[in-house]
Amino acid sequence: MKLGNDPEAEKFRAEFGAFLDEHLPLAAQATERPRSSSHMPEWTRRWQRTLFDAGWLLPGNPPEYGGRNATLPQVLAHTEELSRRRIYHSFNPQGVGIIAASILTFGTEEQKKKWAVPLLRAEMTASLGMSEPGAGSDLAGLRTRAVLDGDHFTVNGQKVWTSCAHDADVLLTFVRTDPDAPKHKGISVLLIPTSLEGVVRRPVPCMTDPADTDFNEVFFTDVRVPTENLVGELHKGWTVAHGSLGHERTMLWISYAERLEDLVRDAPSDAEWYATLQTDLQALRLLGYQQLSGTRNPAEVSVLKLFGSEAVQRASWHAMVEAGEASLLHPARTAPYNHMALEVFTSSWFERYARTFPGTIAGGTSEVHRNIIAERILGLPR
Amino acid sequence: MEFEFDEDQRLLQQAVRETLAKTREQPQDALWATYRELGWLDAPPVELAIVLEELGYVADPTPFLATATWFAPLAGRLPDGSGTAVFDGAGRFVLDADRADEVALLTGSGVVVLPGTEVVAERVATFDAGLHVAHVTAPSELVAGVPDLALMGLAITTVGACRRIFDLVVAHVKQRHQFGVPIGSFQAVKHKAADMYVAIERARALAYFSALTIAEDDPRRRRAALMAKAAAGECQHVVFANGLQLFGAMGFTWENELHRYLKRALAGDLLLGPALVHRTALLALESAKEGAAA
């Protein structure tokens, strides 16, 4: 155990910091705002490409995929530096963090060139098609059907909560290819361009604002998807699901730490909850570093997700309540505008509180994560 | 920062566990002699925390905690025999004051160390019969100044006791059958157990962080110690309530060993003030810092 950071990682952090100082888009260049996390105004595309070309988009990757073969402590320093400055390195975060990452792990060389690189260079955007009306927490129960027919799959079915599908060029879609296999074993993953005939997207506004469309329903009717769009092996989609979410989950705690830090900054108080907020923030960081050391049970990421999302929710509630009747104001701004991040992080107290619920629902509900902790860490019977 | 045990620390943890598993039935004097012989009292802060966590796990009956984390930081040395300290400004609820060979007192004119025989200390009856707690009638004017090491020590000891409760409870819910299945297969039970686990992980991380900031004399050491003590208390609250609940009537009996650890954990929260006190102290520390910066 030691407090000091790896000197190599610190050098790396300083180098990245200098790059950001020099290349960060100005507020005046960033007036067109992204309306969803698959909608990228031109300036956000230029920004992501600048990072890609300099090897600063995903530094752990090799240069051809937007990186510089960085070590894990260096990757952490990079993520922390972005987080500290509240900079979105991509305004299509799931496209870069989950979909391109999955293609790089499970895809063919051809797929990497055709899909991953354009996603990383912000030439296209992607959303993730997992949940269905009948398959939320029980994701493996998904029923969207893909039938192999020569050189293509024919896809029929429906996805829901597909964030930003209406703005995405392609959907990484989990489909059932073998209805007779046990439910985890008959799933495959297809890249489905949204331009294909038979793909219909219907945005569903969020509770915070009827104009805020993030969620989508996506309907597939006899959609012909070329077999070359199959990511990973046929019927082995569950492995991809674990892999894609795994990419996200090991560092997901940093986003919760960011929200806790936001609250420390935006809601100073001399009430007890504010001490708990600071204590939670410190504890989350420590548990995150512990997890990154790689010596822990991988199921411990459930501890980080559960604890981080619930700590943010508790503190956001306290911040909202402490502001009293002023929290009725909506829309409102509760923190300085930051052109390099989404407005939702600085919006009304109501919105900031309401938006903590995606944290405790998406990516496995808190209830599911408690089950995972109980079964995979404590060894309680299923 | 590196927040995992290094190889030596892992070996120490293993050695401490093995030693304590073997010495379980031994009388206090023999235990005390073993601890001294193994050099546990001399351990630096992180290693000391490793020892204390395991001592908490077995609800250690010796004056180790007070000697290593109350007396030593105040006196700046280890006592001849066992020791404790009065640093609350009042001499109330002092750990082991009735049996310490030496007592360090924080007075208006600095630290005074007296032989235990010269200190009037009256042991008070508490719910934890294994714990020695006494009121001290001080010979001189006392001032308050709780050392970081004392907060960390109680915090990690409490975490150790909570881990023991947790292990007993998890074993119980796996083995206890109702409605034809182990009760640990019920979600309501799982979720309570998972919450215990998260609370322990949070408190444990903060306790070791406190030990680390003390070891490196980092400027965050006070803040970390207050957080550690608050979190240990909060952890104890979850672990006591969920643990006793999940154990059912069996846990409420004297024969079952659960109560020993429940009491040690609760005492660990209450001694030097419960979580609330440390949350408040943390707020005061932060606003003092802001005042100084302004």
Side-chain angles (χ1 to χ4, degrees), chain A residues 13 26 50 63-64 70 93 97 99 108-109 123 148 154 157 164 192 211 227 240 259 270 276 314 368:
Chain A
R13 189 195 304 270
L26 303 171
T50 304
E64 62 270 32
I99 295 151
T108 62
E109 286 310 310
E123 287 155 5
L148 183 58
T154 304
C164 314
I192 305 185
T227 50
V240 182
R259 299 289 80 75
D270 40 25
T276 301
R314 273 192 301 274
V368 166

Side-chain angles (χ1 to χ4, degrees), chain A residues 33-40 45 91-92 94 125-129 159-172 192-195 199-206 209-220 355:
Chain A
R33 304 307 298 164
R35 64 171 177 257
S36 87
S37 68
S38 288
H39 169 237
M40 296 185 76
R45 293 179 190 259
F91 283 82
N92 179 218
Q94 74 279 8
T125 65
S127 290
L128 188 61
K159 294 287 170 184
V160 74
W161 320 131
T162 318
S163 283
C164 314
H166 61 306
D167 286 318
D169 299 306
V170 63
L171 306 176
L172 188 78
I192 305 185
T194 53
S195 56
V199 178
V200 172
R201 294 164 287 169
R202 192 179 80 84
V204 181
C206 294
D209 187 338
D212 184 343
T213 44
D214 179 280
F215 286 153
N216 272 252
E217 291 179 303
V218 184
F219 302 90
F220 303 97
R355 283 196 182 270

Side-chain angles (χ1 to χ4, degrees), chain B residues 285-294:
Chain B
L285 183 74
E286 297 288 311
S287 63
K289 230 178 3 195
E290 269 163 39

Side-chain angles (χ1 to χ4, degrees), chain B residues 82-282:
Chain B
S82 67
T84 190
V86 181
F87 41 57
D88 69 338
R92 306 268 297 165
F93 301 103
V94 182
L95 200 52
D96 293 318
D98 59 311
R99 58 171 172 169
D101 296 312
E102 291 194 77
V103 179
L105 303 150
L106 188 59
T107 73
S109 49
V111 176
V112 177
V113 179
L114 296 174
T117 48
E118 288 177 26
V119 174
V120 182
E122 192 186 341
R123 188 176 180 192
V124 294
T126 70
F127 56 71
D128 183 347
L131 206 62
H132 285 250
V133 177
H135 292 331
V136 172
T137 310
S140 47
E141 195 196 339
L142 296 170
V143 293
V146 183
D148 298 336
L149 196 69
L151 293 174
M152 184 284 284
L154 262 172
I156 193 65
T157 304
T158 303
V159 168
C162 286
R163 264 188 43 229
R164 183 60 166 274
I165 297 164
F166 174 77
D167 285 352
L168 290 168
V169 167
V170 168
H172 173 74
V173 301
K174 283 180 184 170
Q175 160 270 314
R176 168 84 177 156
H177 281 62
Q178 285 290 273
F179 308 102
V181 291
I183 61 170
S185 63
F186 297 125
Q187 254 186 8
V189 170
K190 282 181 183 169
H191 289 192
K192 277 197 155 69
D195 285 341
M196 292 167 74
Y197 184 77
V198 174
I200 291 171
E201 287 296 290
R202 172 181 184 264
R204 187 168 183 269
L206 288 163
Y208 278 103
F209 181 61
S210 168
L212 190 55
T213 57
I214 296 168
E216 298 194 19
D217 196 19
D218 187 90
R220 291 167 293 178
R221 56 182 283 169
R222 188 66 184 169
R223 187 171 191 268
L226 293 170
M227 285 183 172
K229 183 66 168 71
E234 289 150 5
C235 164
Q236 174 280 138
H237 179 61
V238 174
V239 170
F240 189 111
N242 291 8
L244 186 50
Q245 180 70 21
L246 292 181
F247 227 96
M250 215 119 63
F252 197 70
T253 65
W254 190 267
E255 284 74 22
N256 193 288
E257 62 177 332
L258 186 74
H259 71 94
R260 294 176 53 200
Y261 309 104
L262 291 172
K263 289 168 180 172
R264 190 55 56 97
L266 180 56
D269 178 26
L270 297 174
L271 279 167
L272 302 183
L276 160 72
V277 168
H278 301 286
R279 289 195 293 265
T280 310
L282 184 65

Side-chain angles (χ1 to χ4, degrees), chain A residues 102-174:
Chain A
S102 297
I103 298 168
L104 291 181
T105 308
F106 297 100
T108 62
E109 286 310 310
E110 196 55 37
Q111 288 172 337
K112 291 178 194 176
K113 282 200 201 79
K114 187 170 172 192
W115 304 102
V117 171
L119 281 171
L120 295 173
R121 288 179 48 81
E123 287 155 5
M124 60 167 75
T125 65
S127 290
L128 188 61
M130 296 184 103
S131 297
E132 295 182 5
S137 288
D138 183 14
L139 183 65
L142 62 89
R143 291 200 314 219
T144 293
R145 185 79 171 91
V147 180
L148 183 58
D149 184 9
D151 63 350
H152 68 273
F153 290 92
T154 304
V155 180
N156 280 286
Q158 185 196 343
K159 294 287 170 184
V160 74
W161 320 131
T162 318
S163 283
C164 314
H166 61 306
D167 286 318
D169 299 306
V170 63
L171 306 176
L172 188 78
T173 313
F174 288 74

